[in-house]
């Protein structure tokens, strides 16, 4: 079965600094990868996805993610963090039977 | 588009009672997913439907849980009888196709006392 791992429970970044939220995956075949964000008392919101094509994927709110096949990684990045980016971030992979499997989530704190 | 609509937003019930959670997916979406979120286990997929047909219910914890999708615009998740360990936030999500992003509702926070 496909899986994703988010090695960090929490990431702290100063406002204005670049941020990275890590994700590694394990798949058989071509990976379909996603990033979602969750704000308090809300459902998850889609940020971006990688299906095929360019390794650098651009998404909502200035976020981007880099697909790295050799390192089996799909890290989420943003050049300059905002306090409003503070939230819970989930990496996800589509399984071979169309199930979407989520990582455990990484809580991002942007410090003013 | 109103997005995925879940009701109720909050449900507090006593152990042993029946609980029914409701979901209206986005019109035209072929896939519907039910997830459960807890601090300990994160997001767990319970069951998903394709064109109203249950495809995989292997995530349903036990026979106390059941889900139905009688038509393309409505799904229910029922717990009977409920137990305190069922306390969680239950999310419904829909997607247009297998590679499309999921659109989540705002969830139902269930507390079983």
């Amino acid at each position: 079965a496909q899986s994703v791992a988010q090695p960090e429970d929490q990431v702290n970044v100063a406002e204005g600094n670049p941020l990275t939220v890590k994700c590694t995956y394990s798949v058989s075949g071509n990976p379909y990868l996603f990033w979602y964000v969750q704000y308090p008392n809300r459902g998850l919101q889609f940020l971006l996805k990688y299906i095929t094509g360019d390794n650098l994927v651009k998404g909502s709110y200035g976020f981007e993610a880099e697909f790295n096949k050799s390192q089996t990684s799909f890290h989420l990045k943003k050049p300059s963090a905002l306090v409003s980016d503070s939230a819970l971030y989930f990496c996800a992979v589509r399984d071979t039977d169309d199930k979407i499997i989520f990582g455990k989530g990484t809580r991002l704190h942007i410090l003013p | 588009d109103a997005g995925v609509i879940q009701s109720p937003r909050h449900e507090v019930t006593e152990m042993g009672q029946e609980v029914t959670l409701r979901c209206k997916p986005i019109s035209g979406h072929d896939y519907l997913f039910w997830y459960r979120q807890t601090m300990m286990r994160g997001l767990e997929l319970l069951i998903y439907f394709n064109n109203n047909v249950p495809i995989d219910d292997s995530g349903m914890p036990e026979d106390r849980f059941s889900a139905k999708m009688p038509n393309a615009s409505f799904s229910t998740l029922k717990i009977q009888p409920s137990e305190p360990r069922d306390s969680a936030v239950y999310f419904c999500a829909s997607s247009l196709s297998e590679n499309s992003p999921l659109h989540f509702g705002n969830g139902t926070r269930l507390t079983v006392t």
Side-chain angles (χ1 to χ4, degrees), chain A residues 32 34 36 38 41-46 49 51 88 90 94 97-104 107, chain B residues 9 31 33 35 37 42-43 45 48 55-56 58 91 98-107 109:
Chain A
Y32 294 168
F34 305 83
Y36 288 80
Q38 185 180 28
N41 300 313
R42 302 294 298 273
L44 280 68
Q45 297 177 31
F46 169 75
K49 68 177 180 180
I51 303 297
L88 190 55
F90 291 92
R94 183 175 74 87
D97 55 0
D98 293 340
K99 293 190 293 190
I100 306 297
I101 308 299
F102 287 86
K104 293 192 171 185
R107 189 163 297 280
Chain B
R9 283 283 274 144
Y31 287 81
F33 302 79
Y35 286 89
Q37 186 177 32
L43 266 171
L45 176 63
Y48 78 98
I55 303 301
D56 188 334
S58 60
F91 287 103
E98 63 270 20
N99 288 334
S100 300
L102 298 182
H103 295 258
F104 281 78
N106 284 328
R109 182 175 296 277

Side-chain angles (χ1 to χ4, degrees), chain B residues 6-98:
Chain B
Q6 291 186 247
S7 63
R9 283 283 274 144
H10 302 275
E11 177 79 41
V12 180
T13 191
E14 292 183 347
M15 182 174 64
Q17 297 298 306
E18 178 180 295
V19 175
T20 299
L21 310 181
R22 298 173 175 79
C23 175
K24 177 179 169 54
I26 292 174
S27 178
H29 281 196
D30 289 340
Y31 287 81
L32 185 140
F33 302 79
W34 282 101
Y35 286 89
R36 178 172 68 177
Q37 186 177 32
T38 61
M39 289 290 291
M40 292 298 295
R41 295 186 297 272
L43 266 171
E44 302 172 279
L45 176 63
L46 300 177
I47 185 172
Y48 78 98
F49 297 82
N50 182 16
N51 291 320
N52 313 339
V53 176
I55 303 301
D56 188 334
D57 65 354
S58 60
M60 297 285 260
E62 45 197 273
D63 291 345
R64 298 184 296 107
F65 285 69
S66 63
K68 294 181 180 180
M69 192 165 185
N71 56 63
S73 60
F74 184 65
S75 177
T76 59
L77 178 67
K78 185 174 293 186
I79 308 172
Q80 166 64 20
S82 58
E83 297 182 2
R85 60 191 168 124
D86 301 331
S87 298
V89 181
Y90 291 80
F91 287 103
C92 175
S94 68
S95 70
L96 190 60
S97 67
E98 63 270 20

